[in-house]
Amino acid sequence: MKKTLTVVMYHYVRNIKNSRYPEIKGLSLEFFIEQLSFFKENYNIVTMEDVISSLDGQHLPPKSLLLTFDDGYAEHFNYVYPILKEFGLQGSFFVPVKAVVEHELLDVNKIHFILASLSNVNDIIDDINLDISTYKKQFNLKDFDYYFNQLALKNRFDTKEVIFVKRMLQHALPEELRKLLSSQYFEKYVGMNEKAFAKELYMTESQIRQLVRDGMHVGCHGYDHYWWNKLDNSSLEVELTKSKEFLETMGCDMAQWTACYPYGASSDSVVMALVSQGCQLAFTTEVKVADIDNGSRLLIPRLDTNDFPPKSDNYKKY
């Protein structure tokens, strides 16, 4: 019988309706609890250690399912972790180190909360258009229409306008300009100090150590949360090494360290780098059930929480 594994990917899990940002895309706590009940009734929920052992020949039960949580949010410790404990389940948490140790708000989160604070996404598109004109010569930029035609491609959760904003501020513009603009837009639309916001948004080091001590799995999500497939070999090595050093200080078993690609940004060269550093498993954002027998252990696909009942209406917004 073919061994398969369903891996579920979570990001924001919070009391969305009563939060300061009810437009953020995520799963409500109520739905999360209902979803765990659905999984317990219909799947065999396994641990990361179970999956690693299965790839070395050990038994994995039919309809196995693994729970993964990206980006190291404080709500994962405050809400998700106690719920998992109540259900008797392990979660696997992938933490971007810089956000935790330097209290620096990741660009991806700046973008999420900027978008969640907008009344009209075209407002920030107009800002980007103007800023491309302003900085065109200094950063050798192309015309606005070039970027929009290349990047404004909708996906199953976002409109083409939202995707355009995300891609421009994630990787299309030069890093120096991306950081400058994302901070300006955050101040304009969110209106909070970034350091204070980061301290509120992400877990602390002591909380992460507690997760590890209590049998949760904590894995690598990079140091800066860069797109790994856009880094040169030297920069990628630094990104992985710094993340692994952090995991070791958290008490993780480095003989069984795992990784999750930021933005799902994998490539052959990234896989080779993970192999060279002894990574046991790595998770993508490719949407399908994993074939444990024939798939690569470093390119494990995942399904989104919104692929299962109950589904949050927030995924349909923007």
Side-chain angles (χ1 to χ4, degrees):
M1 180 182 296
K2 182 171 73 172
K3 285 192 294 187
T4 61
L5 173 68
T6 299
V7 185
V8 188
M9 171 177 59
Y10 293 91
H11 289 88
Y12 301 109
V13 183
R14 55 175 52 192
N15 186 356
I16 297 172
K17 290 181 181 179
N18 296 323
S19 73
R20 290 201 306 267
Y21 304 96
E23 299 301 313
I24 200 73
K25 291 186 177 182
L27 192 69
S28 70
L29 290 174
E30 177 185 4
F31 281 5
F32 177 60
I33 292 169
E34 290 183 33
Q35 198 165 83
L36 290 184
S37 297
F38 171 81
F39 290 150
K40 290 204 76 168
E41 291 173 5
N42 293 278
Y43 292 88
N44 289 300
I45 303 176
V46 296
T47 68
M48 186 66 75
E49 292 74 24
D50 292 332
V51 179
I52 293 172
S53 295
S54 76
L55 294 171
D56 295 325
Q58 298 299 312
H59 173 71
L60 195 67
K63 299 192 72 175
S64 290
L65 182 141
L66 183 73
L67 302 169
T68 66
F69 301 85
D70 290 9
D71 295 339
Y73 300 130
E75 61 210 54
H76 293 167
F77 183 85
N78 294 330
Y79 305 129
V80 169
Y81 164 53
I83 294 170
L84 291 175
K85 287 285 291 179
E86 185 176 341
F87 275 81
L89 302 173
Q90 184 199 65
S92 294
F93 300 86
F94 294 96
V95 179
V97 179
K98 192 172 191 176
V100 173
V101 301
E102 298 187 34
H103 308 300
E104 183 165 325
L105 194 59
L106 299 179
D107 289 345
V108 63
N109 295 130
K110 289 184 195 179
I111 297 165
H112 289 164
F113 285 95
I114 289 167
L115 290 168
S117 300
L118 291 170
S119 57
N120 188 334
V121 70
N122 288 316
D123 292 342
I124 194 171
I125 291 177
D126 290 342
D127 290 338
I128 292 172
N129 193 352
L130 178 62
D131 285 324
I132 286 175
S133 298
T134 301
Y135 294 101
K136 185 175 184 180
K137 182 176 293 187
Q138 180 180 348
F139 289 95
N140 194 27
L141 304 177
K142 300 183 184 296
D143 292 335
F144 171 86
D145 288 344
Y146 169 85
Y147 292 113
F148 194 85
N149 291 334
Q150 289 288 317
L151 300 174
L153 304 170
K154 69 177 182 179
N155 66 16
R156 64 191 187 127
F157 295 134
D158 290 320
T159 67
K160 66 179 184 180
E161 290 81 9
V162 168
I163 290 294
F164 170 73
V165 173
K166 288 182 175 181
R167 298 298 177 260
M168 287 295 286
L169 297 178
Q170 286 169 347
H171 65 79
L173 295 173
E175 182 177 3
E176 180 183 352
L177 182 58
R178 293 200 311 269
K179 290 184 177 297
L180 172 66
L181 295 183
S182 62
S183 290
Q184 288 179 355
Y185 300 154
F186 189 84
E187 181 179 0
K188 178 178 180 178
Y189 292 108
V190 181
M192 278 191 66
N193 175 272
E194 289 186 24
K195 288 279 186 185
F197 197 95
K199 288 182 179 180
E200 183 179 292
L201 183 61
Y202 305 113
M203 283 189 276
T204 66
E205 293 179 63
S206 63
Q207 289 173 336
I208 295 168
R209 288 191 184 96
Q210 174 62 28
L211 292 180
V212 175
R213 285 195 299 266
D214 210 14
M216 300 292 152
H217 182 84
V218 176
C220 167
H221 205 34
Y223 189 88
D224 283 279
H225 199 265
Y226 288 140
W227 292 63
W228 290 352
N229 62 357
K230 298 182 183 297
L231 298 177
D232 59 39
N233 291 338
S234 177
S235 298
L236 178 60
E237 183 176 0
V238 170
E239 182 78 358
L240 295 177
T241 299
K242 290 171 72 176
S243 180
K244 287 171 58 186
E245 290 171 349
F246 171 79
L247 294 179
E248 188 169 10
T249 67
M250 293 298 102
C252 297
D253 179 1
M254 299 311 294
Q256 293 193 317
W257 77 275
T258 65
C260 171
Y261 299 94
Y263 309 101
S266 62
S267 68
D268 290 344
S269 61
V270 176
V271 170
M272 289 175 61
L274 291 173
V275 170
S276 70
Q277 296 210 29
C279 183
Q280 294 296 302
L281 301 172
F283 298 86
T284 71
T285 55
E286 183 183 5
V287 183
K288 65 178 184 180
V289 174
D291 181 347
I292 295 299
D293 292 322
N294 300 309
S296 168
R297 65 162 60 198
L298 296 179
L299 291 169
I300 298 177
R302 296 188 290 174
L303 299 179
D304 190 87
T305 173
N306 203 48
D307 292 319
F308 302 92
K311 300 181 181 182
S312 172
D313 288 340
N314 284 57
Y315 274 88
K316 301 174 185 176
K317 293 182 179 178
Y318 298 141

